Amino acid sequence: LSERHASRLTLSMEKRLRLSLLVHNMELETMAMQDDLTQMFNRRYFFERLERELQTARGFQRPLCVLLIDVDRLKAVNDTYGHRAGDEALANFGRFLLSQTRASDVPARIGGDEFAIILPDTSENAAEVMITRIQKALENTDLMDDPSLTLSLGASLGAAGYPWDGDSVDTIMQQADASMYANKLSRKQSAMSAEPADPLAAKVPTVFRKSAESEGC
């Protein structure tokens, strides 16, 4: 081989190696921010992104909202059908949430059965509309792939945002958690008064919104 040809081969090989390394690094970066079960963003990435989004919201004086979503009765599913069915329900719930979000939203799984969505440039009223839409869509969604298992899992939802609930990540998350907890209590009380025959088939009631202040938090 001529020196020129050999040089071209060397450059071509270097480019392929660099491209391969770049792809590998991108895959590692994706894995570092992704939840294995649901393929959504994970807890670490969620809080890093929330801090950046909040800085942007402050800088441009735009609203920012966070939704917290807790899947109810998952323990009953695990106890009745096994953890494999529970994992399947969580994975399908993740796909359900992805179908309900905008391209600008940041959906994540931040705990075992807890999910969150960052809603940039979203007012409190707009967040309420989204909560209602998610609640109604979930009522008509089957989270199990096996047609013989008809589980209708409920979800408790809470919301908080900048600037109406606070201007720090900790404050906003505490307010969202208080809102979700109030919704969970309301749903439990409604379920107890209704006394459904099958607790797994209980429908998700209208989203209950109560601020942390009214809860005494």
Side-chain angles (χ1 to χ4, degrees), residues 85-103:
D87 286 348
E88 180 182 307
L90 285 174
N92 287 338
F93 186 78
R95 283 190 284 271
F96 163 77
L97 283 186
L98 287 173
S99 72
Q100 300 297 312
T101 56
R102 306 166 300 184

Side-chain angles (χ1 to χ4, degrees), residues 12-196:
S12 178
M13 183 176 297
E14 287 180 357
K15 288 181 180 179
R16 287 199 298 269
L17 288 174
R18 288 177 181 176
L19 179 60
S20 176
L21 181 59
L22 177 62
V23 171
H24 180 65
N25 288 338
M26 291 176 64
E27 290 175 347
L28 290 177
E29 186 176 349
T30 299
M31 290 173 61
M33 68 175 65
Q34 192 175 66
D35 174 65
D36 291 337
L37 179 62
T38 63
Q39 306 304 306
M40 303 173 75
F41 292 118
N42 58 23
R43 179 184 181 89
R44 176 182 176 182
Y45 179 80
F46 172 83
F47 281 99
E48 290 177 352
R49 181 67 177 272
L50 180 56
E51 190 66 59
R52 295 201 303 269
E53 292 290 346
L54 184 56
Q55 290 176 1
T56 300
R58 289 198 207 99
F60 290 94
Q61 289 298 297
R62 293 176 178 173
L64 174 72
C65 192
V66 173
L67 298 188
L68 282 187
I69 307 161
D70 187 74
V71 179
D72 297 331
R73 300 185 299 277
L74 186 64
K75 184 179 184 301
V77 173
N78 289 330
D79 293 344
T80 304
Y81 300 105
H83 287 276
R84 183 176 180 180
D87 286 348
E88 180 182 307
L90 285 174
N92 287 338
F93 186 78
R95 283 190 284 271
F96 163 77
L97 283 186
L98 287 173
S99 72
Q100 300 297 312
T101 56
R102 306 166 300 184
S104 59
D105 298 335
V106 184
R109 182 188 180 205
I110 62 173
D113 56 1
E114 192 171 45
F115 297 78
I117 307 174
I118 302 172
L119 307 174
D121 201 17
T122 301
S123 67
E124 188 173 11
N125 289 338
E128 293 286 355
V129 171
M130 184 169 184
I131 286 176
T132 301
R133 178 164 56 81
I134 290 175
Q135 172 257 322
K136 289 183 178 179
L138 183 57
E139 290 181 353
N140 300 312
T141 299
D142 186 0
L143 297 177
M144 303 304 298
D145 295 331
D146 187 344
S148 66
L149 303 178
T150 55
L151 304 179
S152 180
L153 293 179
S156 300
L157 299 95
Y162 169 84
W164 56 92
D165 281 317
D167 62 355
S168 71
V169 168
D170 287 344
T171 301
I172 291 173
M173 292 302 295
Q174 288 171 3
Q175 294 287 80
D177 188 67
S179 174
M180 184 183 70
Y181 183 67
N183 178 225
K184 185 180 290 289
L185 287 179
S186 176
R187 297 183 64 253
K188 285 183 177 180
Q189 292 171 357
S190 298
M192 289 177 63
S193 61
E195 294 184 350

Side-chain angles (χ1 to χ4, degrees), residues 194-216:
E195 294 184 350
D198 180 3
L200 292 178
K203 295 294 185 179
V204 181
T206 303
V207 173
F208 179 81
R209 292 281 287 120
K210 182 182 289 187
S211 68
E213 288 83 3
S214 63
E215 282 290 297

